[in-house]
Amino acid sequence: MTLLGTLCISAILFALGLVTFITRRNAIAVLMAVELILNAAALNFAAFAHAGIGAHILQGQVFSLFIIILAAAEAVVALALVMAVYREKGHIYLDRLTSLQG
Amino acid sequence: MELLTVISLGIGLLVVASSLVVAFNQNLLRSAFAMFGALFGVGALYATLQADFLAMVQILVYAGGICVLFIFGTMFTKEVTEDPERSNPSYQNLFPYIAIVIIACFMIFCLQDAQWAEGSRWALDSTVKDLGRRLLTDYLLPFEVVSFLLLTSLIGAMALILQGGKK
Protein backbone atom coordinates (compact mmCIF):
# COMPACT_ATOMS: atom_id res chain seq x y z
CA MET A 1 0.00 0.00 0.00
CA THR A 2 1.15 3.53 -0.62
CA LEU A 3 2.06 5.96 2.10
CA LEU A 4 -1.18 7.84 1.43
CA GLY A 5 -3.34 4.77 2.07
CA THR A 6 -1.75 4.08 5.44
CA LEU A 7 -2.04 7.73 6.41
CA CYS A 8 -5.75 7.73 5.45
CA ILE A 9 -6.40 4.64 7.61
CA SER A 10 -4.55 6.34 10.44
CA ALA A 11 -6.63 9.52 10.00
CA ILE A 12 -9.89 7.54 10.12
CA LEU A 13 -8.66 5.70 13.22
CA PHE A 14 -7.82 9.02 14.86
CA ALA A 15 -11.23 10.53 13.98
CA LEU A 16 -13.11 7.50 15.35
CA GLY A 17 -11.02 7.63 18.54
CA LEU A 18 -11.79 11.32 18.89
CA VAL A 19 -15.56 10.83 18.46
CA THR A 20 -15.46 8.03 21.06
CA PHE A 21 -13.47 10.24 23.39
CA ILE A 22 -15.95 13.11 23.08
CA THR A 23 -19.29 11.32 23.14
CA ARG A 24 -18.88 8.42 25.58
CA ARG A 25 -20.02 8.55 29.20
CA ASN A 26 -18.36 5.36 30.42
CA ALA A 27 -14.79 5.97 31.63
CA ILE A 28 -13.47 2.66 30.25
CA ALA A 29 -14.77 3.55 26.77
CA VAL A 30 -12.89 6.85 27.00
CA LEU A 31 -9.70 4.90 27.83
CA MET A 32 -10.29 2.74 24.73
CA ALA A 33 -10.58 5.93 22.68
CA VAL A 34 -7.21 7.14 23.98
CA GLU A 35 -5.67 3.83 22.92
CA LEU A 36 -7.14 4.21 19.41
CA ILE A 37 -5.69 7.73 19.09
CA LEU A 38 -2.24 6.60 20.27
CA ASN A 39 -2.38 3.69 17.82
CA ALA A 40 -3.10 6.11 14.97
CA ALA A 41 -0.07 8.20 15.93
CA ALA A 42 2.22 5.16 16.17
CA LEU A 43 0.97 3.90 12.80
CA ASN A 44 1.86 7.26 11.24
CA PHE A 45 5.42 7.02 12.58
CA ALA A 46 5.84 3.49 11.21
CA ALA A 47 4.44 4.54 7.81
CA PHE A 48 6.86 7.46 7.53
CA ALA A 49 9.73 5.19 8.55
CA HIS A 50 8.74 2.78 5.78
CA ALA A 51 8.59 5.58 3.21
CA GLY A 52 12.13 6.59 4.12
CA ILE A 53 11.30 10.06 5.46
CA GLY A 54 13.53 10.96 8.39
CA ALA A 55 17.14 11.37 9.40
CA HIS A 56 17.86 7.65 9.29
CA ILE A 57 15.81 4.53 8.78
CA LEU A 58 14.17 2.97 11.85
CA GLN A 59 13.90 6.36 13.55
CA GLY A 60 10.12 6.23 13.18
CA GLN A 61 9.92 2.66 14.42
CA VAL A 62 11.77 3.58 17.62
CA PHE A 63 9.23 6.36 18.17
CA SER A 64 6.36 3.89 17.66
CA LEU A 65 7.98 1.57 20.17
CA PHE A 66 8.13 4.31 22.80
CA ILE A 67 4.52 5.30 22.06
CA ILE A 68 3.39 1.70 22.67
CA ILE A 69 5.32 1.51 25.97
CA LEU A 70 3.93 4.84 27.20
CA ALA A 71 0.39 3.79 26.19
CA ALA A 72 0.75 0.62 28.27
CA ALA A 73 1.87 2.59 31.34
CA GLU A 74 -0.94 5.10 30.83
CA ALA A 75 -3.59 2.40 30.48
CA VAL A 76 -2.51 0.68 33.70
CA VAL A 77 -2.56 3.86 35.79
CA ALA A 78 -5.83 5.12 34.26
CA LEU A 79 -7.57 1.79 34.82
CA ALA A 80 -6.40 1.79 38.45
CA LEU A 81 -7.90 5.28 38.80
CA VAL A 82 -11.18 4.06 37.30
CA MET A 83 -11.24 1.12 39.72
CA ALA A 84 -10.61 3.45 42.67
CA VAL A 85 -13.44 5.73 41.53
CA TYR A 86 -15.71 2.72 41.10
CA ARG A 87 -15.04 1.56 44.66
CA GLU A 88 -15.68 5.05 45.98
CA LYS A 89 -18.78 5.98 43.98
CA GLY A 90 -20.28 2.75 42.68
CA HIS A 91 -20.34 3.90 39.05
CA ILE A 92 -17.94 5.20 36.40
CA TYR A 93 -20.16 7.53 34.39
CA LEU A 94 -18.10 10.62 33.73
CA ASP A 95 -21.04 13.03 33.53
CA ARG A 96 -22.08 12.08 37.08
CA LEU A 97 -18.62 12.51 38.61
CA THR A 98 -18.92 16.14 39.61
CA SER A 99 -17.51 16.40 43.15
CA LEU A 100 -13.95 16.73 44.40
CA GLN A 101 -12.71 15.14 47.67
CA GLY A 102 -15.36 12.44 47.84
CA MET B 1 -2.72 -4.67 -8.13
CA GLU B 2 -0.13 -6.68 -6.33
CA LEU B 3 -0.94 -9.10 -3.56
CA LEU B 4 0.49 -7.01 -0.73
CA THR B 5 -1.73 -4.05 -1.64
CA VAL B 6 -4.85 -6.23 -1.55
CA ILE B 7 -3.85 -7.69 1.82
CA SER B 8 -3.13 -4.24 3.25
CA LEU B 9 -6.47 -2.92 2.02
CA GLY B 10 -8.28 -5.85 3.67
CA ILE B 11 -6.46 -5.24 6.93
CA GLY B 12 -7.30 -1.55 6.71
CA LEU B 13 -10.98 -2.38 6.25
CA LEU B 14 -10.79 -4.67 9.31
CA VAL B 15 -9.24 -1.85 11.37
CA VAL B 16 -11.85 0.69 10.27
CA ALA B 17 -14.79 -1.70 10.83
CA SER B 18 -13.55 -2.70 14.31
CA SER B 19 -13.02 0.88 15.37
CA LEU B 20 -16.51 1.74 14.09
CA VAL B 21 -17.86 -0.91 16.46
CA VAL B 22 -15.73 0.55 19.27
CA ALA B 23 -17.04 4.02 18.54
CA PHE B 24 -20.75 3.33 18.07
CA ASN B 25 -21.81 0.15 19.89
CA GLN B 26 -23.96 0.64 22.96
CA ASN B 27 -22.66 -2.52 24.61
CA LEU B 28 -19.33 -1.89 26.33
CA LEU B 29 -18.29 -5.54 26.24
CA ARG B 30 -18.70 -5.65 22.46
CA SER B 31 -16.62 -2.49 22.18
CA ALA B 32 -13.93 -4.11 24.31
CA PHE B 33 -13.87 -7.21 22.11
CA ALA B 34 -13.83 -5.08 18.94
CA MET B 35 -10.65 -3.47 20.30
CA PHE B 36 -9.01 -6.86 19.66
CA GLY B 37 -9.81 -6.55 15.95
CA ALA B 38 -8.57 -2.97 15.72
CA LEU B 39 -5.32 -3.63 17.60
CA PHE B 40 -4.57 -6.88 15.76
CA GLY B 41 -5.25 -5.05 12.49
CA VAL B 42 -2.80 -2.27 13.38
CA GLY B 43 -0.25 -4.98 14.24
CA ALA B 44 -0.78 -6.58 10.84
CA LEU B 45 -0.37 -3.15 9.18
CA TYR B 46 2.98 -2.85 10.97
CA ALA B 47 3.93 -6.20 9.45
CA THR B 48 3.08 -4.94 5.96
CA LEU B 49 5.22 -1.85 6.67
CA GLN B 50 8.27 -4.10 7.28
CA ALA B 51 8.20 -3.45 11.02
CA ASP B 52 8.30 -7.03 12.25
CA PHE B 53 9.46 -6.35 15.80
CA LEU B 54 6.90 -3.57 16.15
CA ALA B 55 4.12 -5.90 15.00
CA MET B 56 5.14 -8.48 17.59
CA VAL B 57 5.31 -5.88 20.36
CA GLN B 58 1.91 -4.53 19.33
CA ILE B 59 0.28 -7.94 19.54
CA LEU B 60 2.03 -8.83 22.82
CA VAL B 61 1.43 -5.53 24.62
CA TYR B 62 -1.88 -4.38 23.17
CA ALA B 63 -3.84 -7.50 22.30
CA GLY B 64 -2.29 -9.60 25.04
CA GLY B 65 -2.12 -7.01 27.80
CA ILE B 66 -4.14 -3.85 27.43
CA CYS B 67 -7.15 -5.42 25.71
CA VAL B 68 -7.44 -8.14 28.36
CA LEU B 69 -7.15 -5.39 30.98
CA PHE B 70 -10.04 -3.52 29.36
CA ILE B 71 -12.22 -6.63 29.27
CA PHE B 72 -11.39 -7.26 32.92
CA GLY B 73 -12.29 -3.68 33.81
CA THR B 74 -15.53 -3.91 31.86
CA MET B 75 -16.57 -7.07 33.67
CA PHE B 76 -15.44 -5.71 37.03
CA THR B 77 -17.74 -2.69 36.87
CA LYS B 78 -21.27 -3.77 37.65
CA GLU B 79 -23.28 -1.81 35.10
CA VAL B 80 -22.38 -4.25 32.35
CA THR B 81 -23.78 -7.31 34.04
CA GLU B 82 -26.87 -5.42 35.16
CA ASP B 83 -27.83 -3.98 31.80
CA PRO B 84 -25.42 -4.84 28.98
CA GLU B 85 -27.44 -3.11 26.28
CA ARG B 86 -27.02 0.32 27.89
CA SER B 87 -23.59 -0.07 29.46
CA ASN B 88 -21.91 2.30 27.03
CA PRO B 89 -24.17 5.32 26.64
CA SER B 90 -23.13 8.17 24.38
CA TYR B 91 -23.93 11.85 24.21
CA GLN B 92 -27.29 12.12 22.45
CA ASN B 93 -26.61 14.99 20.10
CA LEU B 94 -25.65 15.12 16.45
CA PHE B 95 -23.09 17.95 16.58
CA PRO B 96 -19.98 16.01 17.72
CA TYR B 97 -20.53 13.43 14.97
CA ILE B 98 -20.88 16.14 12.31
CA ALA B 99 -17.75 17.88 13.62
CA ILE B 100 -15.75 14.64 13.54
CA VAL B 101 -16.84 13.83 9.98
CA ILE B 102 -15.75 17.31 8.90
CA ILE B 103 -12.39 16.90 10.69
CA ALA B 104 -11.78 13.47 9.08
CA CYS B 105 -12.66 14.75 5.58
CA PHE B 106 -10.39 17.76 6.11
CA MET B 107 -7.48 15.56 7.23
CA ILE B 108 -7.84 13.20 4.27
CA PHE B 109 -8.15 16.16 1.87
CA CYS B 110 -4.94 17.67 3.27
CA LEU B 111 -3.14 14.32 3.03
CA GLN B 112 -4.13 13.93 -0.61
CA ASP B 113 -3.06 17.49 -1.36
CA ALA B 114 0.40 17.15 0.18
CA GLN B 115 3.44 16.15 -1.82
CA TRP B 116 5.22 13.39 0.06
CA ALA B 117 8.83 12.75 -0.86
CA GLU B 118 8.47 9.00 -1.30
CA GLY B 119 12.03 7.80 -1.31
CA SER B 120 13.66 4.53 -0.57
CA ARG B 121 11.48 1.52 0.06
CA TRP B 122 14.20 -0.15 2.04
CA ALA B 123 14.11 -3.90 2.41
CA LEU B 124 15.87 -5.28 5.46
CA ASP B 125 15.91 -8.89 6.54
CA SER B 126 14.87 -8.16 10.08
CA THR B 127 14.69 -4.93 12.06
CA VAL B 128 15.31 -6.53 15.46
CA LYS B 129 19.11 -6.30 15.44
CA ASP B 130 19.22 -2.71 14.24
CA LEU B 131 16.45 -1.62 16.63
CA GLY B 132 18.25 -3.18 19.58
CA ARG B 133 21.51 -1.50 18.65
CA ARG B 134 19.77 1.88 18.33
CA LEU B 135 18.00 1.48 21.66
CA LEU B 136 21.33 0.91 23.42
CA THR B 137 23.26 3.66 21.63
CA ASP B 138 21.24 6.60 20.26
CA TYR B 139 18.18 6.17 22.47
CA LEU B 140 19.82 4.97 25.68
CA LEU B 141 18.52 7.80 27.88
CA PRO B 142 14.84 7.46 26.76
CA PHE B 143 15.16 3.70 27.18
CA GLU B 144 16.29 4.03 30.81
CA VAL B 145 13.71 6.75 31.56
CA VAL B 146 10.96 4.52 30.17
CA SER B 147 12.05 1.60 32.34
CA PHE B 148 11.90 3.89 35.39
CA LEU B 149 8.47 5.14 34.27
CA LEU B 150 7.16 1.57 33.99
CA LEU B 151 8.34 0.81 37.53
CA THR B 152 6.73 4.01 38.81
CA SER B 153 3.41 3.32 37.11
CA LEU B 154 3.39 -0.26 38.47
CA ILE B 155 3.88 0.94 42.05
CA GLY B 156 1.46 3.83 41.54
CA ALA B 157 -1.31 1.59 40.24
CA MET B 158 -0.90 -0.80 43.16
CA ALA B 159 -0.92 2.08 45.65
CA LEU B 160 -4.10 3.51 44.10
CA ILE B 161 -5.93 0.19 44.30
CA LEU B 162 -4.78 -0.55 47.88
CA GLN B 163 -5.72 2.93 49.14
CA GLY B 164 -9.17 2.57 47.62
CA GLY B 165 -9.64 -0.68 49.56
CA LYS B 166 -8.77 0.84 52.94
CA LYS B 167 -11.61 3.37 53.01
Side-chain angles (χ1 to χ4, degrees), chain B residues 111-167:
Chain B
L111 288 178
Q112 278 177 342
D113 210 34
Q115 297 290 325
W116 301 111
E118 293 214 37
S120 57
R121 297 265 166 166
W122 43 275
L124 291 176
D125 292 338
S126 163
T127 59
V128 179
K129 197 175 167 188
D130 206 5
L131 265 180
R133 189 174 291 134
R134 277 202 195 290
L135 277 180
L136 287 181
T137 52
D138 294 349
Y139 300 99
L140 185 59
L141 181 64
F143 189 65
E144 296 297 330
V145 170
V146 152
S147 66
F148 184 69
L149 175 99
L150 283 177
L151 179 69
T152 316
S153 67
L154 197 71
I155 296 172
M158 275 161 57
L160 272 174
I161 290 288
L162 290 181
Q163 264 190 356
K166 264 182 207 163
K167 282 180 183 173

Side-chain angles (χ1 to χ4, degrees), chain A residues 9 13 15 20 23-26 29 35 39 42 49-51 58-59 61 64 69-71 79 83 86-87 91, chain B residues 19 23 25 28 39 46 49 51 58 62 76 78-79 87-91 100 119 121-122 130 139 146 149 161 165:
Chain A
I9 289 173
L13 202 62
T20 318
T23 59
R24 288 301 185 192
R25 284 181 184 157
N26 201 318
E35 298 304 320
N39 258 290
H50 181 61
L58 292 184
Q59 199 178 24
Q61 290 194 14
S64 302
I69 296 167
L70 290 182
L79 210 66
M83 288 299 136
Y86 181 72
R87 283 189 181 178
H91 66 84
Chain B
S19 25
N25 204 314
L28 185 60
L39 299 176
Y46 284 148
L49 292 173
Q58 166 92 6
Y62 267 110
F76 188 77
K78 218 170 43 185
E79 282 89 355
S87 57
N88 198 11
S90 56
Y91 180 60
I100 291 302
R121 297 265 166 166
W122 43 275
D130 206 5
Y139 300 99
V146 152
L149 175 99
I161 290 288

Side-chain angles (χ1 to χ4, degrees), chain A residues 16-89:
Chain A
L16 284 172
L18 202 57
V19 74
T20 318
F21 188 81
I22 291 173
T23 59
R24 288 301 185 192
R25 284 181 184 157
N26 201 318
I28 293 179
V30 173
L31 289 184
M32 289 180 199
V34 173
E35 298 304 320
L36 283 187
I37 292 173
L38 287 170
N39 258 290
L43 188 60
N44 260 358
F45 274 114
F48 282 126
H50 181 61
I53 301 171
H56 54 72
I57 61 171
L58 292 184
Q59 199 178 24
Q61 290 194 14
V62 174
F63 264 94
S64 302
L65 205 59
F66 281 119
I67 288 174
I68 290 173
I69 296 167
L70 290 182
E74 171 261 331
V76 168
V77 174
L79 210 66
L81 274 175
V82 169
M83 288 299 136
V85 167
Y86 181 72
R87 283 189 181 178
E88 197 82 12
K89 304 268 182 188

